[in-house]
């Protein structure tokens, strides 16, 4: 039995205590791969269930093949596999698929995938001569034996439609809103900033709950992409046929040119809080922070659910005008925190453990989505 507080997604500082009953540990097995064992142990301890490291072993052979060894019987039991996406994303996926298939073929009653950060979620749209990778991954997960998915803050909410099994897309916004209210001094003098027009809805949702104004950064500093000369942009040939004259040709599409980076809104003398769902390549955040600093913002915060922080992100953050980068522990980033003191972590294991408890006890999940909108 565990009793903790889940921050409510409301406008005020009021907190609600979830009614949590202990789950039956006799038919629940929690296992995890090598992606985030710390988070898995936190969830298991909150649920009062034995740690997954003693139930399953996931390792790699000398030829880098993934091996899964489940020591305890899983026949007729509910299996919860905790595996998130990290920099070693392809190994994370294979570990998850093999663990799920091993449980399925061992006659498990249900296999639930707890995937705090769903890999390849940004590749959810068709590109030229490409594919929708997130749909392929969804099909693979369902075929491997997963009967339910628990994840957090999908890059696009429509990704849930790619799965042939139920998907619970939890939100970290209550935790981030609580951090703003309790850990940012004088947050009433803040303005919520959308890093680009696409994240304006999320910024508006945060601003409405906190009763703050918003600002939108428009334009980007990106080098134009060069396309290979492979014929895809070659103009139509002039026909010599007497029956068809295409000398006029197809109307040319005007080139898309983004204006120089600009801020729509007043941030002078204010605390600027940028919100997003993922921080990976921080160059765009640093460029936005420099513009906000030039416009008079005296403190700059970046809040996001997932903190991949790849490559030299810690160094760039350390040398930037950003005062704090706040992310949840959906992705391990302890090494990055040692390299940059500006990175702060919010623990969301209570939310995932409560979701597991409610699913196992066949309770409604609506409490976890109270006052949560599609824009969060």
């Amino acid at each position: 039995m565990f009793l903790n507080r889940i921050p409510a997604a409301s406008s005020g500082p009021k907190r609600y205590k979830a009614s949590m009953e202990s789950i039956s540990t006799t038919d629940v097995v929690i296992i995890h791969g090598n992606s985030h064992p710390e988070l898995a142990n936190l969830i298991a301890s909150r649920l009062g269930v034995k740690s997954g490291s003693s139930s399953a072993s996931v390792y790699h052979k000398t030829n880098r093949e993934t091996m899964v060894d489940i020591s305890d019987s899983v026949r007729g039991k509910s299996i919860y596999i905790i595996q998130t996406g990290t920099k070693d994303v392809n190994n994370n996926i294979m570990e998850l698929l093999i663990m799920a298939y091993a449980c399925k073929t061992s006659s498990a009653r249900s296999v639930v995938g707890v995937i705090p950060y769903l890999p390849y979620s940004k590749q959810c749209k068709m590109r030229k001569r490409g594919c929708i990778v997130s749909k392929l991954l969804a099909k693979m997960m369902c075929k491997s034996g997963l009967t339910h998915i628990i994840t957090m803050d999908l890059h696009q909410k429509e990704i849930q439609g790619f799965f042939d099994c139920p998907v619970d897309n939890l939100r970290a916004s209550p935790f981030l809103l609580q951090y703003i209210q309790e850990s940012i001094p004088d947050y009433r003098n803040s303005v919520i900033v959308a890093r680009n027009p696409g994240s304006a809805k999320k910024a508006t949702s945060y601003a409405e709950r906190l009763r703050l104004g918003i600002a939108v950064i428009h334009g980007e500093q990106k080098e134009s992409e060069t396309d290979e000369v492979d014929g895809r942009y070659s103009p139509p040939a002039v026909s010599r046929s007497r029956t068809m004259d295409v000398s006029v040709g197809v109307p040319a599409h005007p080139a898309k040119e983004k204006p120089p980076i600009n801020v729509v809104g007043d941030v002078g003398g204010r605390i600027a809080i940028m919100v997003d769902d993922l921080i990976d390549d921080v160059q765009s955040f640093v460029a936005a922070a420099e513009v906000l600093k030039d416009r008079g913002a005296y403190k700059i915060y970046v809040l996001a659910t997932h903190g991949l922080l790849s490559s030299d992100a810690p160094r760039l953050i350390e040398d930037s005008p950003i005062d704090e980068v706040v992310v949840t522990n959906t992705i391990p980033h302890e090494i990055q925190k040692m390299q940059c003191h500006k990175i702060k972590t919010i623990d969301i294991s209570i939310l995932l453990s409560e979701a597991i408890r409610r699913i196992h006890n066949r309770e409604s999940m609506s409490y976890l989505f109270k006052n949560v909108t599609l824009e969060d």
Side-chain angles (χ1 to χ4, degrees):
M1 180 176 182
F2 59 97
L3 295 172
N4 280 285
R5 289 183 175 182
I6 298 179
S10 61
S11 58
K14 185 178 180 181
R15 300 289 176 262
Y16 297 86
K17 182 179 291 185
S19 58
M20 300 184 180
E21 300 174 359
S22 59
I23 64 175
S24 174
T25 59
T26 56
D27 58 347
V28 173
V29 177
I30 293 181
I31 62 177
H32 61 81
N34 298 317
S35 64
H36 203 344
E38 294 82 9
L39 179 61
N41 292 331
L42 280 173
I43 294 173
S45 63
R46 290 186 182 277
L47 292 170
V49 180
K50 184 173 59 174
S51 176
S53 58
S54 59
S55 301
S57 175
V58 182
Y59 58 96
H60 299 279
K61 296 178 66 176
T62 54
N63 60 357
R64 300 305 298 164
E65 289 184 359
T66 302
M67 299 291 294
V68 173
D69 181 17
I70 301 177
S71 57
D72 299 335
S73 173
V74 298
R75 182 177 297 273
K77 295 184 178 181
S78 298
I79 313 299
Y80 295 87
I81 303 175
I82 302 173
Q83 183 82 336
T84 190
T86 63
K87 296 178 184 178
D88 194 13
V89 58
N90 295 322
N91 274 332
N92 300 151
I93 292 171
M94 284 307 300
E95 289 179 5
L96 173 64
L97 298 178
I98 295 174
M99 283 189 291
Y101 192 65
C103 295
K104 175 185 176 181
T105 54
S106 299
S107 303
R109 183 176 62 186
S110 63
V111 183
V112 180
V114 183
I115 314 170
Y117 170 62
L118 184 69
Y120 288 100
S121 60
K122 295 191 73 172
Q123 298 191 44
C124 58
K125 295 181 180 179
M126 178 63 74
R127 301 190 178 185
K128 15 180 204 184
R129 298 183 183 174
C131 64
I132 304 177
V133 183
S134 56
K135 181 174 182 180
L136 170 64
L137 185 60
K139 296 294 183 184
M140 293 168 61
M141 288 182 179
C142 293
K143 287 292 185 182
S144 68
L146 293 177
T147 58
H148 199 124
I149 301 291
I150 302 174
T151 186
M152 289 193 69
D153 283 335
L154 291 172
H155 185 64
Q156 295 290 337
K157 310 301 185 293
E158 293 77 11
I159 295 177
Q160 299 175 72
F162 295 157
F163 290 85
D164 295 329
C165 64
V167 178
D168 285 310
N169 181 27
L170 304 176
R171 308 293 202 278
S173 55
F175 294 87
L176 299 177
L177 290 168
Q178 180 182 352
Y179 184 89
I180 294 174
Q181 293 173 324
E182 297 181 355
S183 301
I184 297 182
D186 193 23
Y187 81 93
R188 293 292 183 186
N189 188 34
S190 302
V191 58
I192 306 298
V193 179
R195 185 173 55 90
N196 51 50
S199 58
K201 288 185 177 180
K202 179 185 282 289
T204 303
S205 177
Y206 277 65
E208 289 175 349
R209 286 171 167 80
L210 297 170
R211 308 294 191 267
L212 301 174
I214 71 166
V216 181
I217 296 178
H218 182 249
E220 287 183 317
Q221 296 176 343
K222 281 188 176 181
E223 298 180 357
S224 58
E225 297 179 358
T226 57
D227 294 300
E228 297 179 1
V229 182
D230 57 359
R232 74 179 76 178
Y233 291 121
S234 58
V238 178
S239 174
R240 297 182 179 179
S241 173
R242 296 181 180 178
T243 58
M244 185 176 180
D245 186 9
V246 293
S247 58
V248 178
V250 179
H253 293 280
K256 182 179 179 181
E257 296 182 0
K258 293 187 177 181
I261 193 167
N262 189 27
V263 180
V264 181
D266 182 21
V267 297
R270 313 282 289 277
I271 301 173
I273 303 175
M274 285 188 281
V275 294
D276 214 327
D277 62 329
L278 172 67
I279 300 179
D280 187 7
D281 185 4
V282 300
Q283 291 180 353
S284 58
F285 290 93
V286 171
E290 291 173 350
V291 173
L292 292 172
K293 201 73 173 179
D294 293 339
R295 294 301 176 92
Y298 73 91
K299 271 195 173 182
I300 300 172
Y301 291 81
V302 178
L303 275 70
T305 303
H306 311 297
L308 270 174
L309 304 171
S310 301
S311 187
D312 56 347
R315 180 186 60 81
L316 292 175
I317 294 172
E318 190 72 27
D319 299 337
S320 72
I322 299 174
D323 292 281
E324 270 189 18
V325 174
V326 183
V327 293
T328 68
N329 59 343
T330 56
I331 300 172
H333 49 267
E334 294 303 320
I335 297 178
Q336 289 87 337
K337 287 183 69 174
M338 290 189 292
Q339 298 172 351
C340 177
H341 74 283
K342 296 181 180 180
I343 301 174
K344 309 297 180 183
T345 307
I346 298 176
D347 181 21
I348 45 83
S349 60
I350 175 63
L351 181 62
L352 295 171
S353 56
E354 173 65 0
I356 293 174
R357 189 197 66 81
R358 286 176 178 267
I359 289 174
H360 182 71
N361 291 339
R362 298 180 178 86
E363 297 178 13
S364 173
M365 297 282 286
S366 60
Y367 176 83
L368 303 182
F369 296 94
K370 188 175 182 180
N371 297 329
V372 169
T373 64
L374 290 176
E375 287 76 25
D376 280 359

